[in-house]
Amino acid sequence: GQSLEQPSEVTAVEGAIVQINCTYQTSGFYGLSWYQQHDGGAPTFLSYNALDGLEETGRFSSFLSRSDSYGYLLLQELQMKDSASYFCAVRGVEKVTFGTGTKLQVIP
Amino acid sequence: NAGVTQTPKFQVLKTGQSMTLQCAQDMNHEYMSWYRQDPGMGLRLIHYSVGAGITDQGEVPNGYNVSRSTTEDFPLRLLSAAPSQTSVYFCASSYSSRTSGGAGTQYFGPGTRLTVL
């Protein structure tokens, strides 16, 4: 089976940097994804890491360490619109398992 | 491209009724999946399909059936609705799970909000 852990809530100041961690236990691992979901909306894809290291996409970066079964999402230059829930998800052979999400609140 | 579309957006059922949630994608994606999301929780996989004619169970398949007769469509059927099936249902699609990224990069539909009384 697969299980993921991420913090339930994070608060950060506009313009700052925030890191959302995700640890996982899995019997088969192909990669770690991150999704953003605003209240009442659908999840939208942010990033996918299959190999160790840092992937950067604009203000968002994602990191993976396969040996530590650990990854994180880094959001820089926070904006009010970044207030949302962020989910990590493990991709197995065919199935994807989602974490329970981290609710990020950006405050002025 | 319309991406992933779902109908209806909202639905209210009585216990014991059956219905089909529709999902379609126009991106020629091989992989499609259904999730349910309950308040304050993550997404739980109900069923998935790696291509037309192939379906398999996810984490919470009981009470749901799926079929995949075409690449574009992946309907979810509730056989006999129960209050425990009150949830938001999301359909998603991605390129083949066998390619780089594959199911790690999913595109979601807008969701169907289902209430069972």
Side-chain angles (χ1 to χ4, degrees):
Chain A
Q2 295 167 321
S3 67
L4 297 91
E5 285 192 17
Q6 52 180 128
S8 59
E9 293 182 355
V10 172
T11 300
V13 178
E14 187 178 16
I17 299 172
V18 70
Q19 178 174 312
I20 300 174
N21 298 322
C22 175
T23 58
Y24 58 87
Q25 290 183 321
T26 178
S27 56
F29 179 84
Y30 279 71
L32 185 71
S33 307
W34 289 93
Y35 291 83
Q36 179 191 60
Q37 185 180 31
H38 287 98
D39 285 346
T44 56
F45 171 78
L46 292 176
S47 67
Y48 176 72
N49 294 68
L51 303 175
D52 286 358
L54 190 68
E55 297 275 348
E56 298 181 58
T57 307
R59 294 187 298 113
F60 294 0
S61 302
S62 58
F63 171 83
L64 176 65
S65 170
R66 296 171 68 114
S67 60
D68 294 324
S69 298
Y70 164 76
Y72 66 72
L73 179 70
L74 191 73
L75 295 79
Q76 302 181 71
E77 301 173 13
L78 280 173
Q79 303 176 7
M80 298 302 291
K81 67 178 182 180
D82 297 330
S83 292
S85 292
Y86 293 84
F87 295 89
C88 58
V90 166
R91 178 200 165 201
V93 176
E94 289 184 343
K95 299 179 184 180
V96 177
T97 301
F98 281 77
T100 53
T102 298
K103 190 171 183 68
L104 170 65
Q105 182 182 12
V106 180
I107 58 177
Chain B
N1 287 351
V4 181
T5 57
Q6 291 183 238
T7 56
K9 292 185 178 179
F10 300 94
Q11 183 69 50
V12 178
L13 293 178
K14 294 181 179 178
T15 297
Q17 288 185 316
S18 63
M19 79 160 295
T20 299
L21 308 185
Q22 301 291 345
C23 174
Q25 53 90 12
D26 61 358
M27 297 174 283
N28 202 31
H29 285 169
E30 291 188 4
Y31 187 93
M32 296 187 74
S33 54
W34 276 102
Y35 296 88
R36 61 176 288 174
Q37 184 175 36
D38 300 301
M41 297 184 65
L43 297 106
R44 291 185 292 171
L45 182 65
I46 304 172
H47 286 284
Y48 66 97
S49 168
V50 298
I54 306 170
T55 64
D56 207 342
Q57 296 182 348
E59 183 184 355
V60 288
N62 292 341
Y64 308 95
N65 273 356
V66 292
S67 59
R68 186 92 180 271
S69 56
T70 67
T71 298
E72 293 78 20
D73 300 299
F74 190 43
L76 177 73
R77 281 183 290 279
L78 279 71
L79 308 175
S80 177
S84 61
Q85 293 179 304
T86 294
S87 189
V88 180
Y89 291 84
F90 289 102
C91 177
S93 73
S94 69
Y95 294 106
S96 168
S97 62
R98 294 180 291 275
T99 63
S100 176
T105 307
Q106 297 192 75
Y107 297 85
F108 283 80
T112 295
R113 284 150 183 81
L114 175 68
T115 301
V116 183
L117 303 175

